[in-house]
């Protein structure tokens, strides 16, 4: 059973928030970025950090307006996504509650780490400003599906309406690894995991996550040839050398530094010699000019991202080398998104792209 369609009113709200975010990026953020050289020249400075560049903007009413739209559109989008999924949600909840069998391995004894539940428990903004975080709502998989699509400016088409980046990423990673066994870390409701399965139909594909509700929804979406397992990526319990390729999409910027380090050590242990890790995430500040880096952090601040800043400021390739990986490579992912109403210009016109993608790969020697 699919989640309930949004009501007329909820649809109008999602359209409005999507339009407001798209407008903000195209008509406010992109022009502010284009003005950067002139602003720096007028101030007589040559910023070397994103904070110095940000100081050129923080008193500008257009910038403050963009911040308000970004943050509050996010908050209201997720609220509306949750409200719409929960409308008549009993049928779906009942179906998910009885999900079991091949392809779904939940672990009711798994203790969720304190860093993961802390923000919601302490009444602070949780990741993405989603009420209840990733774990506190039985329908979070369906909520993420709908809210994530709205974040990608495609809520009417659904989360999978713009799979260009994920397909390009998997083809790139698979070409280098030719894997028979793939593990997708932090798979949530299976956005990347389904693409891995589609691109590599003969591979044995496993997605793991801490969130039982997200995994249950992933399994519900199918196909059941994918295995979804509730495991902590820091200590999965799989034997050494169980996989040829380990992937993750948008996991790295969602965990604290020490957790990211343990996940990398675990990924190293899980790979066969010659196996590959491939991660798709947000570009590091070091790859961006100071003004662009400031606006990248704007996106993080507007989205309740608690670990964005520490990840983007870190030297991730060095972390990979420190746990033993070699041949570490990173760079912007080359991809094209299928056209989608109203939002294609945001991608195609080369204006500020809120979801531009950075790929990092490394090999276990
Ligand atoms: C942004 S979501 C990932 C999106 C997903 N990869 C996709 O394809 O749409 C981040 C996910 O990482 C999970 N996560 C965070 N820390 C984890 C850990 N230590 N082990 C397993 N999953 C984790 C969260 O529960 C959440 O579902």
């Amino acid at each position: 059973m699919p989640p309930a369609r949004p009501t007329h009113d909820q649809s109008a709200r999602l359209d409005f928030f999507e339009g407001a975010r798209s407008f903000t990026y195209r008509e406010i953020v992109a022009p502010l970025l284009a003005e950067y050289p002139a602003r720096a020249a007028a101030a007589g400075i040559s910023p070397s950090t994103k904070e110095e560049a940000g100081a050129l903007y923080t008193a500008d009413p257009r910038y403050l307006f963009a911040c308000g739209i970004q943050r509050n559109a996010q908050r209201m989008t997720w609220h509306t996504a949750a409200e719409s999924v929960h409308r008549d949600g009993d049928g779906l909840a009942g179906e998910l509650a009885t999900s079991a069998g091949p392809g779904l391995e939940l672990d009711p004894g798994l203790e969720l780490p304190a860093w993961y539940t802390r923000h919601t428990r302490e009444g602070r903004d949780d990741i993405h400003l989603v009420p209840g975080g990733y774990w506190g709502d039985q329908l979070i998989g369906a909520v993420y599906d709908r809210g994530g699509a709205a974040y990608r400016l495609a809520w009417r088409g659904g989360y999978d309406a713009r799979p260009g980046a994920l397909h390009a990423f998997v083809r790139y990673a698979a070409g280098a690894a030719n894997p028979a066994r793939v593990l997708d870390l932090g798979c949530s409701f299976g956005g990347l995991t389904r693409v891995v399965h589609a691109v590599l139909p003969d591979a044995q594909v496993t997605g793991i996550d801490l969130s039982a509700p997200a995994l249950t929804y992933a399994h519900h979406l199918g196909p059941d040839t994918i295995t979804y397992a509730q495991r902590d990526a820091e200590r999965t319990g799989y034997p050494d050398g169980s996989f040829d390729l380990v992937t993750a999409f948008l996991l790295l910027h969602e965990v604290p530094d020490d957790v990211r380090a343990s996940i990398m050590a675990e990924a190293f242990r899980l790979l066969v010699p010659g196996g590959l890790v491939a991660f798709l995430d947000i570009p590091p500040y070091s790859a961006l000019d100071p003004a662009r880096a400031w606006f990248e952090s704007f996106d993080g601040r507007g989205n309740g991202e608690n670990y964005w800043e520490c990840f983007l400021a870190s030297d991730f390739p060095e972390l990979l080398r420190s746990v033993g990986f070699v041949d570490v490579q990173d760079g912007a992912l080359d991809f094209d998104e299928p056209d989608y109403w109203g939002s294609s210009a945001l991608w195609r016109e080369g204006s500020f792209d809120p979801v531009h993608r950075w790929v990092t790969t490394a090999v276990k020697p």
Side-chain angles (χ1 to χ4, degrees), residues 242-297:
S242 297
F243 298 95
D244 308 294
L245 172 64
V246 173
T247 60
F249 172 44
L250 298 179
L251 169 69
L252 303 174
H253 75 265
E254 304 220 340
V255 300
D257 283 342
D258 58 330
V259 174
R260 194 178 318 110
S262 335
I263 293 175
M264 292 311 114
E266 178 70 352
F268 188 84
R269 185 186 73 75
L270 291 174
L271 283 170
V272 288
L276 188 85
V277 277
F279 302 113
L280 189 59
D281 221 288
I282 317 287
Y285 292 140
S286 59
L288 307 171
D289 74 40
R292 178 70 198 230
W294 175 255
F295 281 97
E296 199 76 52
S297 69

Side-chain angles (χ1 to χ4, degrees), residues 115-116 128 134 159 186-189 191-192 208-211 231-234 249-251 254-255 263:
W115 68 265
Y116 183 73
H128 299 165
Y134 280 118
Y159 191 88
C187 65
S188 183
F189 69 99
L192 174 64
I208 64 166
D209 204 286
L210 290 166
S211 169
R231 296 186 187 228
D232 187 338
E234 285 190 83
F249 172 44
L250 298 179
L251 169 69
E254 304 220 340
V255 300
I263 293 175

Side-chain angles (χ1 to χ4, degrees), residues 3 6 27 86 123 135 139 143 159 175 180 188 251 282 289 317 348 357:
E27 302 297 332
H86 279 275
W135 50 278
L139 296 183
V143 172
Y159 191 88
S188 183
L251 169 69
I282 317 287
D289 74 40
R348 298 267 162 80
R357 300 289 183 221

